[in-house]
Amino acid sequence: MQEVTIRSRNPFRFSGLIGQERSDALTVTAAGEAVSKLEGRCVININSTAAGGGVAEMLHVLLGYVRAMGIDARWLVIDGNEPFFELTKRIHNHLYGGIGDGGPLGETQHRIYQAALEPDQHELAATAKPGDIVILHDPQTAGLAEHAKSLGCRVAWRCHVGIDAPNDHSRLGWDFLRPYLEPFVDHYVFTDARFPPSWISPEHCSIIWPSIDPFAPKNQDMSPETVEAILTHTGIITGRRGDTTFERVDGSPGRVERYCDIFRTGPSPAPDVPMLVQVSRWDVMKDMPGVMEAFATYVDSGRDAHLVLAGPVVSAVADDPEGGQVLQNCWNAWRELPHAIRHRVQLVCLPMYDLDENAAIVNALQRHAAIVAQKSIAEGFGLTVAEAMLKGTPVVASAVGGIVDQVIDGETGRLIYDPSDLHEFGTAVCEILDDEALRQRLGEGARQRALDVHLGDTHLERWLGVVNAVLEDR
Ligand code: UDP
C-alpha cells in the first residue's frame, strides 16, 4: 500500500464565496465537534488510485481541508494486481447495471480478490490503531473491512457507484460484495438514495453528494487569455500564445508546459469555433463513442462546431484496465467517420505527470467549451457536471445517477432522459449552440446552482457528520 501525501488546504478561504455564517458552520461548529469526538484518532481513507477519476479527485481536496481543520486524516492506496483490477472493474460495471466483460463472479474470483488484498492487510496493520476510523472506498477495498474491524477500528464503506433501479447484473455485483461488508461495516455512504441495496439499513447509511473545490487548479478562476494560451500550447486550438500559469494546490505558481496526445486530421480549430467537450475517463459507461456518433449525425451539418473528447493518458489510471480498449474503440470509430466530419472531432489524451497541470488543462477546456457533455450510461455523481456548471458552461447530460441531482432541466442545462437516444442528445446540443441567449441563461443558472449546493463546505460538513455517525453507530 502507498500513502498519498495530502496537501493541506485553507478552509477559511470559503468565506469570501459563501459568506461568514456558512463558513463558520463548517470551520467552527462541524469541525470543532468532530475534533473533540475523535480525541486524536486517525481517519484513514483507503482507495485504489491516487490519480484519475472522481474519487481520487475528491480525496485530494476533501482530505486537504480536513487536515487543515486539525483532523489526522490519512490516505492509503492499495496495490492490487492485473487480475484483481480486471475483476473489480467487472464488479464496478455490474453495480452500474452492466455486464462488463461478461466474466464470472464465483469462487475463483473470490480467491483472486482475497489474495490480492492480503499484502494490504499487513500494511494496514502497521498504520491503523484500535479506535481509528477506516473509510474504505468502492468495491476494490471492501475486502479490507474484516481486517480493519479485527484491528479494533471503526469501519465505514463509501460507495461512489450505483444504479437507479437494480437489475440482475447489479444484484450479482452486490452478492459478491455483501459477505465482505455486511458483518463488518459500521456505516455506509452512498452518493444517491437509490443506490444502496435493500440489506443496508437506512439508519446506518448516509447520502452525501460529492463536491468540487472552487480554488483548485481544476476550478479556479482563469482569464480568457490564459484559457486560450493553455489550449493553444497543448495543441487543442490555434489561438494566441501567452501566459499559461495557474495557482497550484499549495498556492505556488504552476505553468502548463506539457502537450496533449491528440488524434485529429488537419489544423486545430480557431478560438471562436464553438466546442462541444466531454472530459472523462476512457470508460464504457461514459459513452464517448455515443457522443461522437450523436455529434456526427445530428450536430455537425451546417454548423462550424467541433467536438473534443478528452480523457487521461491511458497508462496513468492504475485501477482502470479498460481505458486503453475504450480509447482504441473511440479511435476506430473516429477513423470510420467521413473525412469532412472527422476533421471536426478530436480525441485528446491529457498528460497526467503533473496532476495540477492536468487539472489546469481540464479547467481551460471546460471554460472554453460552448457546451460540456456528460452522456453517461450510468453515473455515480458525475463531478464533471458540477465542474462545468461552476464555470458557467451549460451542460447536456444523461438523466442518470447523481447527474439528476445537479442539472435542473431547462434551467441549469439539459437532461437527456434516455441516455441511448442520440437524436435527443444531438437536438439539445443544437438548440443551445444555435441560441446565444439560451446558452447564456443556462450558463448563469448553472453557476448559481453550483455555488449554492456543490461547493466543498456542504460536503465537508456531511463528511464530518459521517465521522460522528461512525463513532456512534453499533
Ligand atoms: N478528470 C481529470 N483529467 C482527465 C479526465 C478526468 O482530471 O483527464 C477528472 C474530471 O475533471 C473529474 C473526474 O476526473 O473531476 C471524473 O469524475 P466523475 O465523477 O465525472 O467520473 P468518475 O471518473 O468518477 O466515474
Side-chain angles (χ1 to χ4, degrees), residues 51-58 92 96 138 160-161 210-212 218-219 278-283 285-286 288 310-313 317 320 348-352 355 358-360 362-363 366 374 376 378-387 391 406:
V55 179
E57 175 75 21
M58 188 194 75
H92 169 101
Y96 270 133
D138 281 333
H160 300 267
V161 298
S211 60
I212 52 171
K218 176 75 55 72
N219 300 308
Q278 178 161 304
V279 179
S280 48
R281 286 178 300 107
W282 303 101
D283 181 310
M285 290 298 166
K286 309 293 181 183
M288 295 282 221
V313 243
V317 185
D320 195 358
V348 178
C349 291
L350 306 174
M352 291 287 282
L355 291 184
N358 172 281
V362 172
N363 188 342
Q366 290 170 333
Q374 195 55 60
S376 306
E379 192 62 76
F381 183 70
L383 282 176
T384 50
V385 171
E387 288 162 7
K391 294 165 184 114
Q406 302 181 66

Side-chain angles (χ1 to χ4, degrees), residues 51 83 90 99 108 158-160 184 203 211 221 226 233 269 285 325 360-361 371 373 377 396 401 418 454 458:
R90 187 177 306 154
I99 190 168
T108 311
R158 185 162 186 185
C159 182
H160 300 267
F184 313 111
E203 256 180 278
S211 60
D221 283 343
T226 305
H233 172 81
M285 290 298 166
Q325 192 53 54
I361 303 171
I371 300 171
I377 294 160
V396 176
D418 174 0
H454 295 309
T458 321

